[in-house]
Amino acid sequence: MRVNELLVEGFGRLPELVRGAVEGLDAEQLRWAPKPGANSIGWLVWHLTRVQDDHVADLLDGAEQLWVTGDHAPRFGLKAQAHDIGYGHTPDQVAAVRPESPEALLEYFDAVYARTHAFVARLAPEDLDRIVDERWDPPVSLGVRLVSVLDDDTQHVGQAAYVRGLLPA
């Protein structure tokens, strides 16, 4: 198996997991949090998609984020700000992420995933060694960044599935 095939497989597991976390829910269920200040299903899926969009856009040598170029933000009650991916959000900022429907989450996720899939499918093994972030010691390679994004996304979609299981009947 080639490394790009492995990445396609890893990222390819996310769509089914994201759908399982959000399909069939209404807007209030997407916004529900198990306790004040906790993350909602909608915020978790929005955040994992924002991280992937932000990081993959950067790996595409400065491509614009789909959040910024698309019409997704208004469907979440937000402005299309490239720097807002959810890191460091306060409870009020978490609560402000208000997806109008599962479709809003899925349409944004699907667009980001399609771009990610196309990108990782064409990677060659030597591409993974390219340094993409020198702010760290050691500097971060493209391969490490992709694993980081996949890891972050997998954790957050698991959290969303868990919160779904906590929804009041």
Side-chain angles (χ1 to χ4, degrees):
M1 177 178 271
R2 286 183 252 157
V3 70
N4 64 324
E5 295 169 337
L6 186 62
L7 289 165
V8 165
E9 174 67 25
F11 280 100
R13 295 176 181 214
L14 293 171
E16 182 179 347
L17 297 171
V18 167
R19 279 175 172 59
V22 304
E23 283 183 336
L25 299 181
D26 61 32
E28 281 308 307
Q29 290 170 313
L30 292 172
R31 298 172 189 156
W32 180 82
K35 71 175 196 167
N39 297 330
S40 66
I41 295 166
W43 184 88
L44 288 161
V45 173
W46 169 83
H47 171 63
L48 75 85
T49 308
R50 288 292 299 122
V51 168
Q52 190 176 140
D53 188 11
D54 172 73
H55 286 35
V56 172
D58 188 53
L59 296 174
L60 290 165
D61 295 322
E64 289 286 337
Q65 296 174 26
L66 299 175
W67 180 254
V68 174
T69 62
D71 61 352
H72 305 288
R75 298 180 72 192
F76 291 78
L78 300 170
K79 294 180 181 174
Q81 299 173 332
H83 68 277
D84 185 10
I85 63 173
Y87 282 124
H89 264 189
T90 66
D92 287 343
Q93 289 171 306
V94 169
V97 177
R98 302 179 59 80
E100 65 184 26
S101 65
E103 291 76 26
L105 287 160
L106 292 172
E107 288 171 18
Y108 177 44
F109 174 81
D110 287 345
V112 170
Y113 169 73
R115 179 159 72 174
T116 299
H117 180 273
F119 175 65
V120 299
R122 68 177 184 260
L123 289 174
E126 58 273 10
D127 295 331
L128 300 177
D129 293 327
R130 177 171 60 98
I131 300 302
V132 297
D133 191 344
E134 294 187 5
R135 296 174 295 170
W136 300 91
D137 186 18
V140 178
S141 67
L142 184 142
V144 169
R145 179 59 47 85
L146 287 171
V147 169
S148 176
V149 170
L150 181 57
D151 177 59
D152 186 74
D153 282 3
T154 303
Q155 288 188 51
H156 284 91
V157 76
Q159 292 167 2
Y162 179 78
V163 173
R164 183 179 179 134
L166 296 176
L167 282 168

